[in-house]
Amino acid sequence: MAWYNEIGAESDVVVSSRIRFARNIAGYPFGKKLTDAGRSEIIDKVTKALAPAGLETIDLAAKNNIDTSALAEKRYISTEFASEKAPHTLLLDESKQTAVMICGEDHVRITAFSAGLSLKEAYDKAVALDDLLDAGVDIAYSESVGYLSQNPTDLGTGMRASLLLHLPATALARQIGAAERGLAKLGVTMRAYFGESGEAYGSLYQISNSVTMGISEEEIIEKLINVAKQLIESERKLRDTLKSDSFARLCDRVMRAKGLLTNAYLMSAAEFMGLWSDVRLGVSLGIVEGCDLAALDSLLVSAMPANLIAASSSKADITAAELETLRAKTVRETLAK
């Protein structure tokens, strides 16, 4: 099952966990210096090395813009990888929540997801693929600086651990900026998942380690978990404050949002995210009944533009109004279940 269809630990605040390894193959240049012939060789070597994992091979050069954008909305590839023109390939196992980008910014990027606060579970999935890769190809590595990359911020472990958090009460209390500054001092980056940091659509924020050298993978994970626990505790306290200050006002806001989500016939992406956030908060606080977090979180993918178009019967020349109609219909049908 895909990461956006599951609910995990601390799911009222933590939507998902992700681990990403950046790896490069020894003997090949990095980035734009890599020729098409070199790309093809790397794709062949990596695909063979990871064959035992049984991932689906997807030649992205043969995909249209809608299909690649849909994969980016699912977080299996980056937007830069989606727009790459030179040979590049994705290896994917959505049921195991693992993906491997070949010939993007790095020769190989291994990504693993898990629902809720479960970085260690995602890490184990990523390590299993990394071990296969290491056994099958010669990885670019230095005893002094660790795994090599054209991006200096990926030297060392080459690992990014990240968590997707829903922080509506923190945003309403205007404490996001203070949280960002505090986390930066700890070597943790916080950014908006949709939109700008101060105006994050849906109050969704991603936190990740900004330091990859001089620290082990286990230490990175432990630090991020500890940071997440502090954010979870703070968010829950602020939610309790919202309830105690004016429970009727909070209920009115949440139920109005639910009414629009379940009945609207036109809905922009920005409007959807605001309503989604209010309803998700209401579900977490027990205000909204008959709607679970898994259904809501699945809309983070199915209600996005490329996935809406990919799932529609007519994939060409969809107008903005038609897209808003599709979104509203998808939301209504999903929540009706």
Side-chain angles (χ1 to χ4, degrees), residues 58 60 67-77 90 92:
I58 303 173
L60 293 185
D67 289 337
T68 55
S69 295
L71 287 167
E73 289 174 354
K74 293 178 179 181
R75 301 170 74 196
Y76 294 132
I77 62 175
L90 173 68
L92 177 65

Side-chain angles (χ1 to χ4, degrees), residues 7 9 16 18 26 33 66 69 98 114 168 195 217 234 254 304 325:
I7 294 301
S16 65
R18 182 179 69 171
K33 294 182 179 180
I66 294 301
S69 295
T98 54
S114 54
E217 290 94 338
S234 174
V254 166
M304 294 300 104
T325 301

Side-chain angles (χ1 to χ4, degrees), residues 24 30 69-70 146 161 183 186 208 228 250 272 280 303:
N24 289 279
F30 298 159
S69 295
L183 293 180
L186 299 173
S208 60
L250 177 62
F272 161 71
R280 195 180 198 279

Side-chain angles (χ1 to χ4, degrees), residues 74-244:
K74 293 178 179 181
R75 301 170 74 196
Y76 294 132
I77 62 175
S78 64
T79 53
E80 294 79 13
F81 195 72
S83 60
E84 180 65 64
K85 301 303 181 185
H88 61 303
T89 294
L90 173 68
L91 304 181
L92 177 65
D93 188 335
E94 195 159 18
S95 65
K96 294 182 180 178
Q97 305 169 349
T98 54
V100 181
M101 291 185 287
I102 311 176
C103 292
E105 184 176 350
D106 290 288
H107 296 160
V108 183
R109 284 197 171 183
I110 296 170
T111 305
F113 295 90
S114 54
L117 182 58
S118 50
L119 280 171
K120 293 178 180 177
E121 180 182 330
Y123 176 73
D124 288 342
K125 296 176 188 177
V127 166
L129 291 176
D130 194 38
D131 287 346
L132 280 176
L133 182 68
D134 190 48
V137 299
D138 186 12
I139 302 296
Y141 183 85
S142 165
E143 290 295 335
S144 58
V145 298
Y147 289 101
L148 301 182
S149 170
Q150 70 165 349
N151 189 339
T153 63
D154 282 327
L155 295 173
T157 61
M159 186 182 90
R160 296 285 175 186
S162 62
L163 296 168
L164 182 58
L165 308 178
H166 184 220
L167 302 173
T170 305
L172 285 170
R174 300 184 182 278
Q175 293 186 16
I176 294 297
E180 286 180 343
R181 292 188 291 273
L183 293 180
K185 295 176 182 178
L186 299 173
V188 175
T189 300
M190 183 177 188
R191 65 175 181 82
Y193 185 61
F194 294 113
E196 299 299 324
S197 192
E199 297 290 337
Y201 297 141
S203 297
L204 283 169
Y205 297 87
Q206 181 172 286
I207 62 170
S208 60
N209 61 298
S210 56
V211 179
T212 59
M213 285 187 67
I215 185 172
S216 70
E217 290 94 338
E218 291 77 13
E219 289 170 329
I220 290 171
I221 290 172
E222 198 61 38
K223 174 185 282 190
L224 206 61
I225 289 174
N226 289 335
V227 165
K229 287 180 178 178
Q230 294 176 36
L231 290 171
I232 291 167
E233 181 181 6
S234 174
E235 170 68 18
R236 286 174 177 165
K237 286 181 179 178
L238 289 168
R239 291 181 185 186
D240 288 340
T241 300
L242 282 176
K243 288 177 66 175
S244 61

